Amino acid sequence: MVDLKGQYSDIKDVVSTSIENVIENTAFINGPKVHEFQKNLEDYLGVKHVIPCANGTDALQIAMMGLGLKPGDEVITADFTFAATVEVIALLNLTPVLVDVNEDDFNIDIEAIKRAITPKTKAIVPVHLFGQCANMEEILNIAKEHNLFVIEDNAQAIGANYTFKDGKKAKAGTIGNVGATSFFPSKNLGAYGDGGAIFTNDSDLAHTIRGIVNHGMYERYHHDVVGVNSRLDSIQAAVLDAKLPKLDSYNKSRQNAARKYNEAFKAIKNVLTPKLSNGCGKNICETCDCHVFHQYTLRIKDADRDALVKHLNEKGIPCGVYYPIPLHSQKAYADERYNEEDFPITNRLVKEVISLPMHTELDDDQIDFITTTIINFING
């Protein structure tokens, strides 16, 4: 699904030198390389504050802690996503409120958000799923009307741009009150281990979060807030800083691959290719910047998706089903408040979606083999 070895071969010398420098300096935690990467990422994103942390799940949890959310506060998020998003809500004894998503772009449904708001609602967590932003302009309008926080789960969309109706652009994760991302190795900007970061333009919030990630300390052994131990180590920062200058080219490679996939499938009625919802219309153009394709996810209509998965595996083609079970159906998050009729799109998507290999090293021969294998299966 992701060719990390091929990607590494292109940056091996830079990565090796940077890691060696960290080891020679022995500043393994919060060392100079972490601060250098932090500054470079702030510049890239155009955001005032980046606070690195240990992983993407911690980033979401710490963002919520920093906003001062209290047990019982309701937090609205998407039903169709990875469990980490709702996991941290539950861990903080907040009340997760799951809502349905859009059929075309898989992101949180605006009307479903509106229906879910109660006097206890305190925050919305849009997940920028598979590489493109949720409808942030409408989400910000809802948040302003109801005095809600917006916490962006940007684990899959780093580098994507969101275009407002007036033409203004902003990077995914920098639009709401706070954003959180993951540097898991398979991400568009991935470490060689775990890592994460929190983004915000709110200086007071950034100050609070910087204490939280380091045991609540701003001065050694002075614990001013309840914190956690969640710090990005210097070796991972060295890897990320080596990759950051190449992020846009990495994302462009993914977009080029997605365009080739789309072209191959355009005449296959049982295969629905990804839709773009912001900035680029319905097609992936040469200047596309709204979708960075962390995953290239098809919908298989009126055909056996699970049989296709088995067939691809037999042919040695990796694929994934993200996600096979809705969060509202997971044992850990089941709740009598949820009714199946509230999730018609999610319940359909879990039976139809399949994600194909998507990474910076995909070549035309690989794409041709993958698409031909799928088309032959569909056509019987």
Side-chain angles (χ1 to χ4, degrees):
M1 292 290 285
V2 180
D3 183 8
L4 295 177
K5 188 172 182 179
Q7 186 187 73
Y8 170 66
S9 66
D10 184 51
I11 57 174
K12 181 177 180 179
D13 291 343
V14 176
V15 169
S16 297
T17 299
S18 191
I19 290 175
E20 287 174 6
N21 287 339
V22 170
I23 295 172
E24 287 175 3
N25 293 332
T26 68
F28 298 117
I29 302 295
N30 272 341
K33 199 60 189 179
V34 174
H35 300 295
E36 184 179 349
F37 169 64
Q38 172 189 320
K39 179 62 169 62
N40 289 338
L41 187 55
E42 288 169 347
D43 292 343
Y44 172 82
L45 294 171
V47 70
K48 288 183 180 178
H49 305 284
V50 167
I51 303 97
C53 63
N55 57 69
T57 306
D58 279 3
L60 277 172
Q61 178 175 324
I62 291 162
M64 294 179 193
M65 292 172 68
L67 291 169
L69 299 178
K70 305 296 183 185
D73 287 348
E74 292 180 356
V75 179
I76 298 171
T77 194
D79 187 40
F80 186 63
T81 185
F82 184 60
T85 312
V86 68
E87 180 178 64
V88 296
I89 299 171
L91 282 170
L92 293 173
N93 289 319
L94 308 172
T95 301
V97 178
L98 298 170
V99 301
D100 211 2
V101 297
N102 300 318
E103 189 168 15
D104 286 341
D105 66 8
F106 313 124
N107 280 320
I108 193 166
D109 180 78
I110 297 301
E111 295 304 316
I113 293 174
K114 293 177 181 178
R115 292 192 296 269
I117 293 173
T118 76
K120 293 183 179 180
T121 306
K122 293 296 185 291
I124 305 168
V125 183
V127 181
H128 302 323
L129 200 69
F130 298 152
Q132 70 174 326
C133 287
N135 188 343
M136 288 302 296
E137 191 154 10
E138 288 300 318
I139 290 169
L140 292 179
N141 289 338
I142 294 170
K144 183 177 180 180
E145 179 182 353
H146 295 277
N147 194 28
L148 306 176
F149 295 118
V150 176
I151 305 161
E152 295 175 75
D153 184 338
N154 194 43
Q156 299 188 15
I158 194 163
N161 283 310
Y162 180 82
T163 304
F164 290 85
K165 292 177 183 176
D166 64 3
K168 176 186 174 183
K169 291 190 176 187
K171 289 290 187 187
T174 70
I175 304 165
N177 298 93
V178 64
T181 201
S182 166
F183 299 127
F184 187 78
S186 64
K187 303 299 185 187
N188 294 42
L189 180 62
Y192 291 164
D194 268 322
I198 303 124
F199 317 141
T200 185
N201 287 303
D202 183 330
S203 296
D204 290 337
L205 177 59
H207 175 74
T208 300
I209 289 172
R210 287 193 182 97
I212 293 172
V213 301
N214 191 30
H215 298 289
M217 292 188 294
Y218 302 98
E219 181 182 351
R220 192 165 177 81
Y221 300 124
H222 293 255
H223 303 273
D224 295 346
V225 296
V226 175
V228 297
N229 178 20
S230 184
R231 297 166 298 202
L232 181 68
D233 76 68
S234 299
I235 288 178
Q236 300 307 332
V239 172
L240 293 165
D241 206 41
K243 285 187 173 186
L244 181 58
K246 300 181 75 67
L247 177 57
D248 285 344
S249 65
Y250 288 162
N251 287 340
K252 185 61 65 178
S253 295
R254 289 170 177 266
Q255 290 156 354
N256 290 339
R259 197 160 45 241
K260 292 171 184 176
Y261 274 137
N262 280 3
E263 181 66 21
F265 292 127
K266 68 180 182 180
I268 311 302
K269 66 178 182 178
N270 300 93
V271 176
L272 304 184
T273 56
K275 297 293 192 300
L276 305 189
S277 60
N278 175 257
C280 296
K282 294 184 178 180
N283 298 312
I284 309 168
C285 62
E286 292 292 337
T287 59
C288 175
D289 61 4
C290 69
H291 199 322
V292 296
F293 291 96
H294 173 63
Q295 300 291 350
Y296 180 86
T297 302
L298 300 172
R299 293 172 57 204
I300 305 300
K301 299 285 290 185
D302 302 319
D304 192 333
R305 190 274 312 273
D306 292 339
L308 174 59
V309 170
K310 181 179 178 182
H311 180 69
L312 292 176
N313 288 335
E314 290 171 349
K315 295 292 184 180
I317 298 173
C319 61
V321 174
Y322 311 119
Y323 298 93
I325 305 172
L327 290 178
H328 79 269
S329 298
Q330 298 283 358
K331 184 177 179 180
Y333 306 111
D335 194 297
E336 61 183 11
R337 293 172 298 144
Y338 300 137
N339 298 307
E340 289 303 316
E341 55 266 29
D342 294 331
F343 305 99
I345 304 303
T346 297
N347 287 337
R348 186 182 312 149
L349 292 177
V350 297
K351 299 174 183 176
E352 295 177 349
V353 294
I354 180 172
S355 295
L356 305 184
M358 175 51 73
H359 52 82
T360 57
E361 313 306 310
L362 272 176
D363 60 37
D364 289 352
D365 288 342
Q366 291 170 327
I367 292 173
D368 182 64
F369 177 60
I370 294 164
T371 55
T372 299
T373 302
I374 292 171
I375 292 168
N376 288 343
F377 175 86
I378 294 293
N379 290 338

